Structure formats: C-alpha cells, structure tokens
Amino acid sequence: MPPGPAAPAAPAETGVPPPAPTRLPSALPAQAVPAAPLRSPRVTALPPEAPAVPSTASGPAVPRQLAGTARHGMRLSVEQVVQRFPALATAQAEQVARLLQGTVAETFTRRDAADWGVPAQRRYGELVEQALQLAQQPAVQTAQAELRRLHAVLAEVSQAIEQQLQPGLLARWRAADPWQLLQRHRTEIDQLRAALGQAVPLLAAQAEALAGVRRDLQALSADIEAHGLAATLLGERIAAPGQGDMHQLLLGRATDLAQTHAHVAGTDPLRAHAGEQLADLAGAIRQAVLLLLPAWLEKALHARHVAPTPTLARRLQQELDTLLHSLRPT
Amino acid sequence: MSTLTLNLSKPGDVSRKLALNLQKAERFKVRLAWDGQTDLDLHAIVCLNRGDGAKASSLEDILSTYNVRRRVGSGEVGTLEKAADGSFAVHGGALVHSPDATDGDALDVDEWIDIDPSKLAVPPGAVIEIPLVALIHQQTTVRRFRDVAGAWVSIENVAGTELLRIQLSSQFGEFIGVQMGSVMIDASGTHFAAVGVGFNGDFNSVLEHFS
C-alpha cells in the first residue's frame, strides 16, 4: 500500500548521518513540579485524525500522529470474546482480545494464517527438551545409584544385627558380626556420604530449574490456548466460510493449537511428579544421609567396643531401619 | 475564639486498619526485535503539548542513537553521553535506551527503551507526550520492513501486560518507519495511546513533525 498523501519524503541515500536539529532549552521543568499521581494504564484506540490537544475534563489526551498510513488491529472487546467463549476466564479472554487487537486484518495473509501460533508451539518443543535434559542430568542418576548402594550396605548391617538377635546359638554362630561388618564398610559409607553431600546443591539447583521450566510451560500453555481461540475468531471474522482456504487454514490452526494446549496441560502432572521426586531425593539426602546417619554411626561404632546388650543392639537396629526407610530407593 | 471541634466517632465504630496502596507506579518497556544484519532503531521524543501540538524544544528531549555524542568525520555530534554499558538516557533516567544494536543477532530483543514517567514533572495545564518510533537506519541496504525478517515491536506496562505488539515485517511491510503510539502523562495520570502509523521518512522528518 502506498504511504498516505502527507507522508514525508523517502530518506536521502547520501551515507551522511542526519543533521542535528537546533538546540533549544527543554520546556520541561527539571522536577520542579511533583509528578502527577499515576494510575492504571488505558489503551486508547484512536481515530485517524485525532486532534493534538491536551487533556480536558471530558476525556484523556490524544497523541499527535505522524503523517502516514494508520493501521489498526481488529476491534474486538474482551466482552465480545467472553460472549463467544463463555467458559473462558477473564485473563484468558483479555489475552485473546490482545492478540486480535494486534492483528491487522488488511495485511493478514495466508502465510500469517499458516504461521499463527507456530512460534508458541516451537517454544513448547524447546521447553520440553529442556525439561527432558534436566530430568536426565547425570547428577540425578549418580545420586540415585549412590543412595541405592548406601541403602544396600546399611541393609546388610541391619540384617546382621537381626540375625545376631535371633534365639538359638546356631543362628548367632552363623551370623556375621554386625559391628565388624559395619567397620569393614566404613570407608565406603564415608565416601558415599561425602559424594551425596556434594550432590545436594546440584539437585536443589536442578529442582529449581525444573520448577522454572514448569512455570514457563504453564504460561506458554495459556498463550497457546489464547492463540487457538484467536485463530477460531480470526477464521470467523476475517475469513468467513467460502472465502478460499484461509478459513480452513485458520480452523486447522485452531484445532492444532487446541491439541497442543491439551498436551501441555496433560503432561503437567508428569513434570510436577519429576520435580517432587527430585525434591524428595534432595530431602532424603539432607535428612537421612547428612543428619541421621552420622548420629547413628557414632552410636554404632561406639557399641562395637563395648559388646552391646541385646536391648542396645535392638534399639540400634530399629534406628537403622528408620534410617533405611528414609533412604529407600526411588 | 478557638475553633469548635467535635469527636466524630460513634459507639461500635471500627477503627481503621492500616493499608497501603499496592499499585506500582506505571512504567513502560518498549521492545524491538528483528533477525539478520539490518540495522533498526527505536526512538522516543519527550514532547510538551500546551494545546498547540506536541513539541520537543531541546536535544535533551530526544532519546535516539543519532543523538549520542560521537565523532563523525572531523567533528563531534550528538549530546547524550553513553554509559559504560553502551546505554544512554534523557531527563535524568526517565527514559533509558539500550545500547544501539546494529544487527538483529540477539536471541530475543535487540533494542529496548525503559520509560519511568514518575521522573518527569508535568507543567500545569500541559501534557507530556512521548511518541515512540521504530525506524530502519537509513544507511542500511534494506529499504522497507518487508525486507527485514521477524521484525516486531511491543510495549509493555509495569504489570507485564503487553499493550501493543506490531509485526513490522508483515503489518507495515511497505514502510521504513512506524509510530507505535505515545506515552501520555498529564495531571490525571499516565497511559499509553496506540497510534499505529506507517511512514516513509527519516528520523529528521519525525523531529520536524515534533519540533
């Protein structure tokens, strides 16, 4: 479309930077007058020939416009969106209205229709990839393997205590001495404790990153839904049935986006579960490995020197079982 | 004679709870993005409208990369000082411009302007108008927005609500400049007024209009 009749001339292609205008003192007082109280923004749709006047009691000020060609988005209110989609929340209706208000019907092409909402879908793919990478980080696998090994070692000790507490001389004779067994595993237990302790900040950071991706996906889900509903309205308003394949194209986009939205919403519980698992893993390490285990080891290793009574041995075994319950592999 | 006063409370009156206005002062963020080696620019002009149209009266009112102090040939031009990070500002930081991007290589936003209206004092009876303009730099080989891939501009308020988004490449493809709208500040408050006008002219033609 050619520019408006009063449009300024095209720029001269001289390669010389534009000349600076004459310098005059600014008419604005330098903070002499306190700033006016601020209030919520209003988005004003303007008539093309708005007069350049300051505000009056009758309405808000309208801006001075450059000479040129005015293009406006579709005029569709939030109320009209809600009327079309009654079950829609206000915030979502506002998002749909904003999308349409930013769409200029006269320049909307078949290509625009085909690309409608595609960037949001592409972004969805990127975020899902990020979530997958986070879930497959070696830190998680390593921590889980170390936790499983620690559980196995301590379970062996618990079993040995249990056997020693069995009635009958034969049973006790066959059982390995649990305290010697613990001493044999001591180096490995200490190494596992140290490694798991170092993994905690990594796991916490990973849980935080996963939560961030989930939040981004939830926001994106709303955006995808809004694009889908806007595609329906676009199909109805600027490409009525019978007007070529634009209508079909937009309805196809609406369906596609609705499916993507349903998929994002449907997989959110999986991501929530992955986040919870990560938080549980970090929590188990903090509580059981870094807090309960050292305390239990101190008592158990002391017992090794004093030949514990069955009562003390039973208590140590019960404490160890509680600890093992917290450490159970996921 | 002393002034008569009465206690205005009644039995059963509930004392007022402390409350604060939880609304943040309005601010705006203008974002411009594009792909490729073209040079697009964001500009803003702080104008005063006393009833005879919005006008800027000083170079201090013009937030533009063309107004940054620099050496051209043997002389120095421009009035705004560049900060260490390449950004520049007018009116004590009321308007801050990102470092000038000469290509669209940034991942998302290439140029932005932050507007903090609370730093601008409105003279009585006047309106401050801040027209916002996106333009193709005149020395680039690209001549129209349709030749620029993925060019868009948006305006967001302090709550993060997008007030306007324009797809420059498709909606204003035959132009080299767009006035997105103006931030309006008067005694009644602050708002963004959308304009959406495409034009073919350089930044000095914009200045001519607003001075």
Side-chain angles (χ1 to χ4, degrees), chain A residues 1 8 23-24 26-27 38 41-42 46 55 64-66 69 71 98 102, chain B residues 26 54 57-58 60 129 162 171 174 179 186 190-192 194 196 198 200 209:
Chain A
M1 183 184 288
R23 183 170 182 171
L24 296 167
S26 175
L38 301 170
R42 306 180 297 267
L46 292 164
S55 66
R64 188 174 186 187
Q65 294 184 35
L66 287 168
T69 304
R71 291 212 171 124
R98 267 200 303 278
Chain B
E26 191 54 275
S57 54
S58 157
E60 305 292 335
E129 261 187 62
E162 205 169 79
Q171 294 172 353
E174 68 270 45
Q179 181 191 359
D186 61 20
T190 297
H191 72 281
F192 170 73
N200 287 316
H209 190 83

PDB file of all heavy atoms in Angstrom, chain A residues 1 8 23-24 26-27 38 41-42 46 55 64-66 69 71 98 102, chain B residues 26 54 57-58 60 129 162 171 174 179 186 190-192 194 196 198 200 209:
ATOM      1  N   MET A   1       0.842  -1.186   0.000  1.00  0.00           N
ATOM      2  CA  MET A   1       0.000   0.000   0.000  1.00  0.00           C
ATOM      3  C   MET A   1       0.882   1.243   0.000  1.00  0.00           C
ATOM      4  O   MET A   1       1.838   1.319   0.766  1.00  0.00           O
ATOM      5  CB  MET A   1      -0.895  -0.012   1.246  1.00  0.00           C
ATOM      6  CG  MET A   1      -1.847   1.156   1.296  1.00  0.00           C
ATOM      7  SD  MET A   1      -2.773   1.151   2.843  1.00  0.00           S
ATOM      8  CE  MET A   1      -3.845  -0.231   2.559  1.00  0.00           C
ATOM      9  N   PRO A   8       6.148  11.995   4.648  1.00  0.00           N
ATOM     10  CA  PRO A   8       7.398  12.679   4.304  1.00  0.00           C
ATOM     11  C   PRO A   8       8.151  11.927   3.209  1.00  0.00           C
ATOM     12  O   PRO A   8       7.895  10.766   2.944  1.00  0.00           O
ATOM     13  CB  PRO A   8       8.185  12.638   5.618  1.00  0.00           C
ATOM     14  CG  PRO A   8       7.220  12.210   6.656  1.00  0.00           C
ATOM     15  CD  PRO A   8       6.137  11.470   5.982  1.00  0.00           C
ATOM     16  N   ARG A  23      19.522  23.395  18.831  1.00  0.00           N
ATOM     17  CA  ARG A  23      19.327  23.106  20.245  1.00  0.00           C
ATOM     18  C   ARG A  23      18.574  24.250  20.931  1.00  0.00           C
ATOM     19  O   ARG A  23      18.928  25.391  20.822  1.00  0.00           O
ATOM     20  CB  ARG A  23      20.681  22.908  20.915  1.00  0.00           C
ATOM     21  CG  ARG A  23      20.520  22.546  22.360  1.00  0.00           C
ATOM     22  CD  ARG A  23      21.799  22.117  22.950  1.00  0.00           C
ATOM     23  NE  ARG A  23      21.544  21.749  24.340  1.00  0.00           N
ATOM     24  CZ  ARG A  23      22.431  21.169  25.100  1.00  0.00           C
ATOM     25  NH1 ARG A  23      23.606  20.899  24.637  1.00  0.00           N
ATOM     26  NH2 ARG A  23      22.150  20.873  26.341  1.00  0.00           N
ATOM     27  N   LEU A  24      17.545  23.889  21.618  1.00  0.00           N
ATOM     28  CA  LEU A  24      16.753  24.843  22.377  1.00  0.00           C
ATOM     29  C   LEU A  24      16.617  24.326  23.796  1.00  0.00           C
ATOM     30  O   LEU A  24      16.698  23.124  24.016  1.00  0.00           O
ATOM     31  CB  LEU A  24      15.341  24.975  21.766  1.00  0.00           C
ATOM     32  CG  LEU A  24      15.257  25.537  20.353  1.00  0.00           C
ATOM     33  CD1 LEU A  24      13.873  25.307  19.792  1.00  0.00           C
ATOM     34  CD2 LEU A  24      15.577  27.011  20.354  1.00  0.00           C
ATOM     35  N   SER A  26      14.985  22.810  26.992  1.00  0.00           N
ATOM     36  CA  SER A  26      13.797  21.976  27.143  1.00  0.00           C
ATOM     37  C   SER A  26      12.705  22.756  27.853  1.00  0.00           C
ATOM     38  O   SER A  26      12.970  23.523  28.771  1.00  0.00           O
ATOM     39  CB  SER A  26      14.141  20.732  27.955  1.00  0.00           C
ATOM     40  OG  SER A  26      12.972  20.002  28.194  1.00  0.00           O
ATOM     41  N   ALA A  27      11.492  22.549  27.406  1.00  0.00           N
ATOM     42  CA  ALA A  27      10.357  23.230  28.036  1.00  0.00           C
ATOM     43  C   ALA A  27       9.902  22.534  29.305  1.00  0.00           C
ATOM     44  O   ALA A  27       9.064  23.029  30.029  1.00  0.00           O
ATOM     45  CB  ALA A  27       9.190  23.295  27.050  1.00  0.00           C
ATOM     46  N   LEU A  38      -0.046   8.561  39.608  1.00  0.00           N
ATOM     47  CA  LEU A  38      -0.155   7.638  38.485  1.00  0.00           C
ATOM     48  C   LEU A  38      -1.309   6.682  38.695  1.00  0.00           C
ATOM     49  O   LEU A  38      -1.688   6.382  39.794  1.00  0.00           O
ATOM     50  CB  LEU A  38       1.160   6.856  38.360  1.00  0.00           C
ATOM     51  CG  LEU A  38       2.349   7.761  38.133  1.00  0.00           C
ATOM     52  CD1 LEU A  38       3.626   6.965  38.269  1.00  0.00           C
ATOM     53  CD2 LEU A  38       2.279   8.411  36.770  1.00  0.00           C
ATOM     54  N   PRO A  41      -2.974   1.924  33.417  1.00  0.00           N
ATOM     55  CA  PRO A  41      -2.868   2.373  32.033  1.00  0.00           C
ATOM     56  C   PRO A  41      -4.177   2.183  31.285  1.00  0.00           C
ATOM     57  O   PRO A  41      -4.987   1.333  31.616  1.00  0.00           O
ATOM     58  CB  PRO A  41      -1.810   1.439  31.462  1.00  0.00           C
ATOM     59  CG  PRO A  41      -1.927   0.225  32.284  1.00  0.00           C
ATOM     60  CD  PRO A  41      -2.324   0.671  33.634  1.00  0.00           C
ATOM     61  N   ARG A  42      -4.370   2.996  30.290  1.00  0.00           N
ATOM     62  CA  ARG A  42      -5.507   2.812  29.403  1.00  0.00           C
ATOM     63  C   ARG A  42      -4.947   2.644  28.010  1.00  0.00           C
ATOM     64  O   ARG A  42      -4.053   3.365  27.598  1.00  0.00           O
ATOM     65  CB  ARG A  42      -6.417   4.043  29.427  1.00  0.00           C
ATOM     66  CG  ARG A  42      -6.879   4.446  30.812  1.00  0.00           C
ATOM     67  CD  ARG A  42      -7.763   5.660  30.732  1.00  0.00           C
ATOM     68  NE  ARG A  42      -7.069   6.824  30.207  1.00  0.00           N
ATOM     69  CZ  ARG A  42      -6.474   7.733  30.957  1.00  0.00           C
ATOM     70  NH1 ARG A  42      -6.464   7.598  32.245  1.00  0.00           N
ATOM     71  NH2 ARG A  42      -5.892   8.774  30.415  1.00  0.00           N
ATOM     72  N   LEU A  46      -7.449   5.088  18.720  1.00  0.00           N
ATOM     73  CA  LEU A  46      -7.587   6.475  18.282  1.00  0.00           C
ATOM     74  C   LEU A  46      -8.207   6.606  16.915  1.00  0.00           C
ATOM     75  O   LEU A  46      -7.976   5.775  16.050  1.00  0.00           O
ATOM     76  CB  LEU A  46      -6.196   7.109  18.216  1.00  0.00           C
ATOM     77  CG  LEU A  46      -5.560   7.285  19.562  1.00  0.00           C
ATOM     78  CD1 LEU A  46      -4.091   7.528  19.379  1.00  0.00           C
ATOM     79  CD2 LEU A  46      -6.206   8.422  20.285  1.00  0.00           C
ATOM     80  N   SER A  55      -5.259  17.139  27.519  1.00  0.00           N
ATOM     81  CA  SER A  55      -6.458  16.521  28.070  1.00  0.00           C
ATOM     82  C   SER A  55      -7.413  17.561  28.620  1.00  0.00           C
ATOM     83  O   SER A  55      -7.035  18.659  28.995  1.00  0.00           O
ATOM     84  CB  SER A  55      -6.061  15.578  29.192  1.00  0.00           C
ATOM     85  OG  SER A  55      -5.517  16.330  30.241  1.00  0.00           O
ATOM     86  N   ARG A  64      -0.302  13.253  19.214  1.00  0.00           N
ATOM     87  CA  ARG A  64      -0.073  13.797  17.883  1.00  0.00           C
ATOM     88  C   ARG A  64       0.491  12.675  17.013  1.00  0.00           C
ATOM     89  O   ARG A  64       1.407  11.967  17.423  1.00  0.00           O
ATOM     90  CB  ARG A  64       0.929  14.933  17.996  1.00  0.00           C
ATOM     91  CG  ARG A  64       1.104  15.716  16.724  1.00  0.00           C
ATOM     92  CD  ARG A  64       2.014  16.902  16.987  1.00  0.00           C
ATOM     93  NE  ARG A  64       2.078  17.734  15.794  1.00  0.00           N
ATOM     94  CZ  ARG A  64       2.880  18.759  15.669  1.00  0.00           C
ATOM     95  NH1 ARG A  64       3.685  19.086  16.668  1.00  0.00           N
ATOM     96  NH2 ARG A  64       2.886  19.473  14.574  1.00  0.00           N
ATOM     97  N   GLN A  65      -0.042  12.577  15.808  1.00  0.00           N
ATOM     98  CA  GLN A  65       0.384  11.483  14.926  1.00  0.00           C
ATOM     99  C   GLN A  65       1.237  11.991  13.786  1.00  0.00           C
ATOM    100  O   GLN A  65       1.012  13.077  13.271  1.00  0.00           O
ATOM    101  CB  GLN A  65      -0.835  10.799  14.317  1.00  0.00           C
ATOM    102  CG  GLN A  65      -1.700  10.076  15.316  1.00  0.00           C
ATOM    103  CD  GLN A  65      -2.835   9.344  14.622  1.00  0.00           C
ATOM    104  OE1 GLN A  65      -2.674   8.844  13.532  1.00  0.00           O
ATOM    105  NE2 GLN A  65      -3.976   9.315  15.255  1.00  0.00           N
ATOM    106  N   LEU A  66       2.169  11.153  13.386  1.00  0.00           N
ATOM    107  CA  LEU A  66       2.948  11.453  12.179  1.00  0.00           C
ATOM    108  C   LEU A  66       2.043  11.280  10.960  1.00  0.00           C
ATOM    109  O   LEU A  66       1.079  10.514  10.995  1.00  0.00           O
ATOM    110  CB  LEU A  66       4.119  10.481  12.057  1.00  0.00           C
ATOM    111  CG  LEU A  66       5.264  10.694  13.032  1.00  0.00           C
ATOM    112  CD1 LEU A  66       6.203   9.487  13.004  1.00  0.00           C
ATOM    113  CD2 LEU A  66       6.039  11.958  12.697  1.00  0.00           C
ATOM    114  N   THR A  69       0.266   6.245   7.024  1.00  0.00           N
ATOM    115  CA  THR A  69      -0.877   5.345   6.883  1.00  0.00           C
ATOM    116  C   THR A  69      -1.159   4.670   8.217  1.00  0.00           C
ATOM    117  O   THR A  69      -0.295   3.970   8.740  1.00  0.00           O
ATOM    118  CB  THR A  69      -0.568   4.276   5.817  1.00  0.00           C
ATOM    119  OG1 THR A  69      -0.215   4.952   4.613  1.00  0.00           O
ATOM    120  CG2 THR A  69      -1.762   3.378   5.565  1.00  0.00           C
ATOM    121  N   ARG A  71      -2.794   2.010  10.636  1.00  0.00           N
ATOM    122  CA  ARG A  71      -3.318   0.638  10.588  1.00  0.00           C
ATOM    123  C   ARG A  71      -3.693   0.222  11.997  1.00  0.00           C
ATOM    124  O   ARG A  71      -2.900   0.370  12.920  1.00  0.00           O
ATOM    125  CB  ARG A  71      -2.257  -0.307  10.037  1.00  0.00           C
ATOM    126  CG  ARG A  71      -2.006  -0.040   8.584  1.00  0.00           C
ATOM    127  CD  ARG A  71      -1.643  -1.271   7.816  1.00  0.00           C
ATOM    128  NE  ARG A  71      -1.639  -0.950   6.410  1.00  0.00           N
ATOM    129  CZ  ARG A  71      -0.597  -1.127   5.600  1.00  0.00           C
ATOM    130  NH1 ARG A  71       0.512  -1.655   6.068  1.00  0.00           N
ATOM    131  NH2 ARG A  71      -0.690  -0.806   4.327  1.00  0.00           N
ATOM    132  N   ARG A  98      -6.214  -9.201  23.114  1.00  0.00           N
ATOM    133  CA  ARG A  98      -4.956  -8.508  22.803  1.00  0.00           C
ATOM    134  C   ARG A  98      -4.357  -9.036  21.505  1.00  0.00           C
ATOM    135  O   ARG A  98      -3.854  -8.279  20.678  1.00  0.00           O
ATOM    136  CB  ARG A  98      -3.947  -8.701  23.940  1.00  0.00           C
ATOM    137  CG  ARG A  98      -3.992  -7.597  24.964  1.00  0.00           C
ATOM    138  CD  ARG A  98      -2.702  -7.547  25.784  1.00  0.00           C
ATOM    139  NE  ARG A  98      -2.399  -8.790  26.458  1.00  0.00           N
ATOM    140  CZ  ARG A  98      -2.937  -9.160  27.613  1.00  0.00           C
ATOM    141  NH1 ARG A  98      -3.820  -8.399  28.207  1.00  0.00           N
ATOM    142  NH2 ARG A  98      -2.593 -10.288  28.180  1.00  0.00           N
ATOM    143  N   GLY A 102      -3.953  -6.823  18.062  1.00  0.00           N
ATOM    144  CA  GLY A 102      -2.643  -6.631  17.430  1.00  0.00           C
ATOM    145  C   GLY A 102      -2.579  -7.219  16.028  1.00  0.00           C
ATOM    146  O   GLY A 102      -1.502  -7.287  15.432  1.00  0.00           O
TER     147      GLY A 102
ATOM    148  N   GLU B  26       3.250   3.483  37.298  1.00  0.00           N
ATOM    149  CA  GLU B  26       3.269   2.970  35.930  1.00  0.00           C
ATOM    150  C   GLU B  26       4.636   3.184  35.284  1.00  0.00           C
ATOM    151  O   GLU B  26       5.301   4.201  35.510  1.00  0.00           O
ATOM    152  CB  GLU B  26       2.184   3.678  35.113  1.00  0.00           C
ATOM    153  CG  GLU B  26       1.936   3.063  33.761  1.00  0.00           C
ATOM    154  CD  GLU B  26       1.635   1.573  33.843  1.00  0.00           C
ATOM    155  OE1 GLU B  26       2.607   0.785  33.878  1.00  0.00           O
ATOM    156  OE2 GLU B  26       0.460   1.209  33.898  1.00  0.00           O
ATOM    157  N   ALA B  54       2.091  18.538  20.173  1.00  0.00           N
ATOM    158  CA  ALA B  54       3.240  18.052  20.942  1.00  0.00           C
ATOM    159  C   ALA B  54       4.540  18.513  20.294  1.00  0.00           C
ATOM    160  O   ALA B  54       4.735  18.313  19.092  1.00  0.00           O
ATOM    161  CB  ALA B  54       3.194  16.532  21.001  1.00  0.00           C
ATOM    162  N   SER B  57      11.607  20.726  22.484  1.00  0.00           N
ATOM    163  CA  SER B  57      12.262  22.016  22.308  1.00  0.00           C
ATOM    164  C   SER B  57      13.769  21.941  22.507  1.00  0.00           C
ATOM    165  O   SER B  57      14.461  22.937  22.362  1.00  0.00           O
ATOM    166  CB  SER B  57      11.664  23.031  23.291  1.00  0.00           C
ATOM    167  OG  SER B  57      11.742  22.506  24.600  1.00  0.00           O
ATOM    168  N   SER B  58      14.266  20.785  22.849  1.00  0.00           N
ATOM    169  CA  SER B  58      15.687  20.698  23.134  1.00  0.00           C
ATOM    170  C   SER B  58      16.210  19.337  22.701  1.00  0.00           C
ATOM    171  O   SER B  58      15.463  18.352  22.666  1.00  0.00           O
ATOM    172  CB  SER B  58      15.898  20.876  24.642  1.00  0.00           C
ATOM    173  OG  SER B  58      17.110  20.307  25.042  1.00  0.00           O
ATOM    174  N   GLU B  60      17.935  17.655  24.485  1.00  0.00           N
ATOM    175  CA  GLU B  60      17.847  16.841  25.698  1.00  0.00           C
ATOM    176  C   GLU B  60      16.560  16.024  25.730  1.00  0.00           C
ATOM    177  O   GLU B  60      16.388  15.132  26.555  1.00  0.00           O
ATOM    178  CB  GLU B  60      17.886  17.726  26.952  1.00  0.00           C
ATOM    179  CG  GLU B  60      19.070  18.663  27.057  1.00  0.00           C
ATOM    180  CD  GLU B  60      20.372  17.923  27.256  1.00  0.00           C
ATOM    181  OE1 GLU B  60      20.311  16.802  27.780  1.00  0.00           O
ATOM    182  OE2 GLU B  60      21.418  18.455  26.872  1.00  0.00           O
ATOM    183  N   GLU B 129       3.927  14.297  26.070  1.00  0.00           N
ATOM    184  CA  GLU B 129       3.693  13.234  25.089  1.00  0.00           C
ATOM    185  C   GLU B 129       5.031  12.642  24.706  1.00  0.00           C
ATOM    186  O   GLU B 129       5.973  13.385  24.413  1.00  0.00           O
ATOM    187  CB  GLU B 129       3.079  13.834  23.820  1.00  0.00           C
ATOM    188  CG  GLU B 129       1.582  13.695  23.726  1.00  0.00           C
ATOM    189  CD  GLU B 129       1.071  14.143  22.376  1.00  0.00           C
ATOM    190  OE1 GLU B 129       1.429  13.546  21.342  1.00  0.00           O
ATOM    191  OE2 GLU B 129       0.329  15.125  22.372  1.00  0.00           O
ATOM    192  N   GLU B 162       1.148  -6.764  27.850  1.00  0.00           N
ATOM    193  CA  GLU B 162       1.520  -6.222  26.545  1.00  0.00           C
ATOM    194  C   GLU B 162       0.393  -5.321  26.047  1.00  0.00           C
ATOM    195  O   GLU B 162      -0.742  -5.778  25.869  1.00  0.00           O
ATOM    196  CB  GLU B 162       1.757  -7.374  25.570  1.00  0.00           C
ATOM    197  CG  GLU B 162       2.684  -6.995  24.453  1.00  0.00           C
ATOM    198  CD  GLU B 162       3.118  -8.216  23.656  1.00  0.00           C
ATOM    199  OE1 GLU B 162       2.333  -8.669  22.818  1.00  0.00           O
ATOM    200  OE2 GLU B 162       4.241  -8.696  23.889  1.00  0.00           O
ATOM    201  N   GLN B 171       2.821  -6.313   8.919  1.00  0.00           N
ATOM    202  CA  GLN B 171       1.740  -5.318   9.029  1.00  0.00           C
ATOM    203  C   GLN B 171       2.129  -3.946   8.482  1.00  0.00           C
ATOM    204  O   GLN B 171       1.265  -3.156   8.108  1.00  0.00           O
ATOM    205  CB  GLN B 171       1.299  -5.197  10.487  1.00  0.00           C
ATOM    206  CG  GLN B 171       0.645  -6.465  11.002  1.00  0.00           C
ATOM    207  CD  GLN B 171       0.375  -6.436  12.493  1.00  0.00           C
ATOM    208  OE1 GLN B 171       0.790  -5.521  13.192  1.00  0.00           O
ATOM    209  NE2 GLN B 171      -0.310  -7.445  12.980  1.00  0.00           N
ATOM    210  N   GLU B 174       5.510  -2.143   3.793  1.00  0.00           N
ATOM    211  CA  GLU B 174       5.915  -1.184   2.751  1.00  0.00           C
ATOM    212  C   GLU B 174       6.481   0.113   3.308  1.00  0.00           C
ATOM    213  O   GLU B 174       6.719   1.053   2.571  1.00  0.00           O
ATOM    214  CB  GLU B 174       4.746  -0.906   1.811  1.00  0.00           C
ATOM    215  CG  GLU B 174       3.591  -0.140   2.413  1.00  0.00           C
ATOM    216  CD  GLU B 174       2.520  -1.035   3.037  1.00  0.00           C
ATOM    217  OE1 GLU B 174       2.896  -1.986   3.761  1.00  0.00           O
ATOM    218  OE2 GLU B 174       1.332  -0.762   2.830  1.00  0.00           O
ATOM    219  N   GLN B 179       5.169   4.813  13.789  1.00  0.00           N
ATOM    220  CA  GLN B 179       4.923   5.411  15.102  1.00  0.00           C
ATOM    221  C   GLN B 179       3.976   4.458  15.818  1.00  0.00           C
ATOM    222  O   GLN B 179       2.814   4.299  15.419  1.00  0.00           O
ATOM    223  CB  GLN B 179       4.284   6.802  14.972  1.00  0.00           C
ATOM    224  CG  GLN B 179       4.048   7.454  16.340  1.00  0.00           C
ATOM    225  CD  GLN B 179       3.183   8.713  16.266  1.00  0.00           C
ATOM    226  OE1 GLN B 179       2.767   9.115  15.182  1.00  0.00           O
ATOM    227  NE2 GLN B 179       2.918   9.323  17.407  1.00  0.00           N
ATOM    228  N   ASP B 186      -0.331  13.371  32.016  1.00  0.00           N
ATOM    229  CA  ASP B 186      -0.952  14.651  32.372  1.00  0.00           C
ATOM    230  C   ASP B 186      -1.379  14.606  33.834  1.00  0.00           C
ATOM    231  O   ASP B 186      -1.058  13.647  34.548  1.00  0.00           O
ATOM    232  CB  ASP B 186      -2.132  14.983  31.438  1.00  0.00           C
ATOM    233  CG  ASP B 186      -3.241  13.943  31.495  1.00  0.00           C
ATOM    234  OD1 ASP B 186      -3.295  13.188  32.498  1.00  0.00           O
ATOM    235  OD2 ASP B 186      -4.052  13.873  30.559  1.00  0.00           O
ATOM    236  N   THR B 190      -1.177   8.600  33.759  1.00  0.00           N
ATOM    237  CA  THR B 190      -0.280   8.176  32.683  1.00  0.00           C
ATOM    238  C   THR B 190      -0.940   7.068  31.890  1.00  0.00           C
ATOM    239  O   THR B 190      -1.548   6.179  32.478  1.00  0.00           O
ATOM    240  CB  THR B 190       1.015   7.626  33.317  1.00  0.00           C
ATOM    241  OG1 THR B 190       1.648   8.673  34.017  1.00  0.00           O
ATOM    242  CG2 THR B 190       1.963   7.068  32.279  1.00  0.00           C
ATOM    243  N   HIS B 191      -0.853   7.121  30.593  1.00  0.00           N
ATOM    244  CA  HIS B 191      -1.345   5.994  29.805  1.00  0.00           C
ATOM    245  C   HIS B 191      -0.617   5.916  28.473  1.00  0.00           C
ATOM    246  O   HIS B 191       0.062   6.860  28.053  1.00  0.00           O
ATOM    247  CB  HIS B 191      -2.853   6.067  29.592  1.00  0.00           C
ATOM    248  CG  HIS B 191      -3.313   7.121  28.644  1.00  0.00           C
ATOM    249  ND1 HIS B 191      -3.422   8.447  29.008  1.00  0.00           N
ATOM    250  CD2 HIS B 191      -3.691   7.049  27.347  1.00  0.00           C
ATOM    251  CE1 HIS B 191      -3.858   9.147  27.975  1.00  0.00           C
ATOM    252  NE2 HIS B 191      -4.022   8.321  26.943  1.00  0.00           N
ATOM    253  N   PHE B 192      -0.757   4.773  27.856  1.00  0.00           N
ATOM    254  CA  PHE B 192      -0.195   4.601  26.520  1.00  0.00           C
ATOM    255  C   PHE B 192      -1.339   4.681  25.517  1.00  0.00           C
ATOM    256  O   PHE B 192      -2.364   4.025  25.669  1.00  0.00           O
ATOM    257  CB  PHE B 192       0.497   3.240  26.404  1.00  0.00           C
ATOM    258  CG  PHE B 192       0.889   2.914  24.991  1.00  0.00           C
ATOM    259  CD1 PHE B 192       1.948   3.571  24.382  1.00  0.00           C
ATOM    260  CD2 PHE B 192       0.187   1.975  24.253  1.00  0.00           C
ATOM    261  CE1 PHE B 192       2.290   3.298  23.063  1.00  0.00           C
ATOM    262  CE2 PHE B 192       0.523   1.691  22.941  1.00  0.00           C
ATOM    263  CZ  PHE B 192       1.583   2.354  22.346  1.00  0.00           C
ATOM    264  N   ALA B 194      -2.261   4.039  21.660  1.00  0.00           N
ATOM    265  CA  ALA B 194      -1.782   3.404  20.433  1.00  0.00           C
ATOM    266  C   ALA B 194      -2.060   4.304  19.231  1.00  0.00           C
ATOM    267  O   ALA B 194      -3.072   4.993  19.184  1.00  0.00           O
ATOM    268  CB  ALA B 194      -2.483   2.066  20.257  1.00  0.00           C
ATOM    269  N   GLY B 196      -0.140   3.494  15.643  1.00  0.00           N
ATOM    270  CA  GLY B 196      -0.013   2.574  14.519  1.00  0.00           C
ATOM    271  C   GLY B 196      -0.023   3.261  13.176  1.00  0.00           C
ATOM    272  O   GLY B 196      -0.902   2.995  12.355  1.00  0.00           O
ATOM    273  N   GLY B 198       2.282   3.984   9.761  1.00  0.00           N
ATOM    274  CA  GLY B 198       3.490   3.696   8.990  1.00  0.00           C
ATOM    275  C   GLY B 198       3.845   4.893   8.125  1.00  0.00           C
ATOM    276  O   GLY B 198       2.958   5.579   7.633  1.00  0.00           O
ATOM    277  N   ASN B 200       7.142   6.801   5.444  1.00  0.00           N
ATOM    278  CA  ASN B 200       8.416   6.682   4.734  1.00  0.00           C
ATOM    279  C   ASN B 200       9.167   7.997   4.871  1.00  0.00           C
ATOM    280  O   ASN B 200       8.929   8.946   4.117  1.00  0.00           O
ATOM    281  CB  ASN B 200       8.175   6.342   3.263  1.00  0.00           C
ATOM    282  CG  ASN B 200       7.737   4.900   3.112  1.00  0.00           C
ATOM    283  OD1 ASN B 200       8.299   4.007   3.730  1.00  0.00           O
ATOM    284  ND2 ASN B 200       6.702   4.665   2.335  1.00  0.00           N
ATOM    285  N   HIS B 209       8.381  17.051  12.574  1.00  0.00           N
ATOM    286  CA  HIS B 209       6.972  16.982  12.947  1.00  0.00           C
ATOM    287  C   HIS B 209       6.769  17.338  14.421  1.00  0.00           C
ATOM    288  O   HIS B 209       5.760  17.931  14.797  1.00  0.00           O
ATOM    289  CB  HIS B 209       6.466  15.559  12.682  1.00  0.00           C
ATOM    290  CG  HIS B 209       4.985  15.408  12.792  1.00  0.00           C
ATOM    291  ND1 HIS B 209       4.132  15.726  11.749  1.00  0.00           N
ATOM    292  CD2 HIS B 209       4.193  14.990  13.812  1.00  0.00           C
ATOM    293  CE1 HIS B 209       2.885  15.490  12.134  1.00  0.00           C
ATOM    294  NE2 HIS B 209       2.890  15.043  13.381  1.00  0.00           N
TER     295      HIS B 209
END
